[in-house]
Amino acid sequence: MDLQAIWYFLWVLLWAVYFITDGFDLGMGILLPFISKNDMEKRVIYNAAGPLWDGNEVWLITAGGVTFAAFPLVYAVMFSSLYSALMLVLFALILRGVSFEFRGKMDSPGWKKLWDSCLFIGSLVPALLLGAAFANIFRGIPIDGEGVYHGTLFTLLNPYGLLGGVLFVFLVVVHGAIWLAIKSDGALHERAVKAAKGAWSVLLAVAVIFLAASAISTDIYGNYLAHPFLSVFILITVLALLGIRFFLGKGTYWKAWFSSAVTIVGACFYGFIGLFPRMFPSSLNPDFTLTAYNSASSPMTLKIMLVLALIFVPIVLIYQGWAYNLFKDKVKQDDLAREEAY
């Protein structure tokens, strides 16, 4: 495998790790107004994500940084073509971060309701738009030979793009509901389990429709037909998706969460394995498509980055594993009484 291909798959993996780690934060934020019945339950949700959410977003910065360093042409065209959508995602993520810090500053129902609404919007908008953006990449973006985008924000909100957004929303809702089931007890725990099971049924239906729609709206099955062994990735993803429901039924929530994580990784690789080596396909002319080979940095840059990645990524993973282990227990009333609690 050459350097461009290695970085192509590392690039996809970094996005997948971001969606796994920040996905449950986004999912709990979307569930907040529907699943919590009082202020204490809302605080449990905030504190289930609280110690981890900002560390999770390191992977978003890493994925964006790798796009810039390894594939600068893709970075330039992607961030200008998807500028409006990505700015909305950025503003929503800022709103979400501020809601964690500001909600507890005043003991006023109106104040808390305001920031609860911000958390909901700041979680729903990134999930919907990131899903729509990636679905549009699978479908092809209207860019010309100069990398100029011929469309608007609403061009991205086509039926296939919206379907990708809905799929991603339910992926993170299931992921978040399972995390909340792990971190809570009592009535909130029971509601989280019920929400995970209900959202899983919708996710399954949307995933089937998305797979069928991909055959009509994209050509990503071409690589799978040319190399049938690649279908094993789809099979693993489907088994992981079914595993979520199986483990939820067994009441083994950590296993259900890891199945959900594998499903998210599989959903990311499903599209980009089909696209390879294309990274930013043009729907106007295939000759305008940006690939891992016509948009990569120099081989020397890719080699240096690979050495740095092999050194520092394991360190980050070890640190994040330590943090997750530290906060693995359920959120209790004693935790909410602490000064640093949200």
Side-chain angles (χ1 to χ4, degrees):
M1 184 179 287
D2 50 47
L3 279 169
Q4 290 86 353
I6 290 172
W7 272 107
Y8 182 94
F9 287 103
L10 285 176
W11 176 71
V12 179
L13 182 61
L14 287 171
W15 279 107
V17 172
Y18 166 66
F19 293 142
I20 290 171
T21 52
D22 211 29
F24 68 81
D25 297 347
L26 296 172
M28 286 194 293
I30 295 170
L31 283 169
L32 179 83
F34 308 106
I35 202 168
S36 56
K37 301 297 182 187
N38 53 53
D39 186 61
M40 181 176 291
E41 290 184 351
K42 289 175 181 172
R43 290 192 64 203
V44 169
I45 295 174
Y46 274 88
N47 284 277
L52 302 167
W53 74 270
D54 47 357
N56 294 339
E57 293 198 349
V58 167
W59 294 105
L60 175 61
I61 298 169
T62 306
V66 163
T67 311
F68 171 74
F71 304 103
L73 192 55
V74 171
Y75 178 89
V77 176
M78 177 187 288
F79 279 75
S80 60
S81 302
L82 306 178
Y83 183 79
S84 300
L86 292 177
M87 288 305 291
L88 286 174
V89 169
L90 178 62
F91 290 140
L93 289 176
I94 291 172
L95 202 61
R96 187 173 69 119
V98 173
S99 67
F100 275 96
E101 301 300 329
F102 275 36
R103 185 181 188 274
K105 298 297 182 185
M106 289 177 62
D107 192 19
S108 159
W111 176 263
K112 291 181 178 179
K113 189 174 181 180
L114 169 67
W115 293 110
D116 290 343
S117 301
C118 289
L119 181 69
F120 171 71
I121 294 169
S123 300
L124 177 64
V125 170
L128 184 67
L129 289 183
L130 285 171
F134 275 85
N136 274 283
I137 292 174
F138 298 164
R139 179 174 177 264
I141 304 288
I143 54 170
D144 63 21
E146 301 298 321
V148 177
Y149 178 61
H150 293 265
T152 66
L153 173 64
F154 297 103
T155 306
L156 304 175
L157 302 179
N158 54 76
Y160 183 73
L162 287 173
L163 184 60
V166 172
L167 175 68
F168 196 72
V169 166
F170 278 95
L171 272 172
V172 299
V173 165
V174 170
H175 205 46
I178 298 170
W179 184 261
L180 185 57
I182 292 169
K183 298 289 288 182
S184 62
D185 54 15
L188 183 58
H189 167 83
E190 297 302 324
R191 267 180 257 128
V193 173
K194 186 177 178 182
K197 290 178 179 176
W200 180 88
S201 300
V202 180
L203 172 62
L204 180 65
V206 175
V208 170
I209 296 170
F210 187 79
L211 287 172
S214 295
I216 300 169
S217 300
T218 76
D219 61 357
I220 59 177
Y221 289 114
N223 275 350
Y224 292 99
L225 293 173
H227 308 285
F229 70 93
L230 292 174
S231 301
V232 72
F233 290 99
I234 297 178
L235 179 62
I236 291 171
T237 307
V238 171
L239 290 175
L241 178 59
L242 297 175
I244 296 172
R245 186 62 182 85
F246 174 78
F247 291 123
L248 280 173
K250 292 284 185 182
T252 49
Y253 302 116
W254 275 112
K255 290 179 180 177
W257 190 82
F258 281 110
S259 289
S260 175
V262 173
T263 304
I264 291 172
V265 173
C268 294
F269 274 94
Y270 151 75
F272 283 102
I273 286 174
L275 281 181
F276 183 80
R278 296 168 293 169
M279 298 186 72
F280 211 67
S282 170
S283 60
L284 300 181
N285 187 328
D287 293 338
F288 302 153
T289 291
L290 301 179
T291 72
Y293 296 97
N294 67 13
S295 61
S297 295
S298 68
M300 179 62 73
T301 301
L302 296 180
K303 283 180 185 175
I304 293 171
M305 286 177 56
L306 189 58
V307 171
L308 293 175
L310 290 173
I311 294 172
F312 290 106
V313 170
I315 294 174
V316 175
L317 286 172
I318 291 170
Y319 170 77
Q320 198 153 32
W322 171 80
Y324 271 65
N325 185 60
L326 186 65
F327 296 107
K328 69 179 183 301
D329 296 327
K330 292 181 181 295
V331 179
K332 303 284 188 181
Q333 283 195 358
D334 291 347
D335 299 315
L336 300 181
R338 292 179 179 174
E339 187 179 348
E340 63 271 21
Y342 292 100

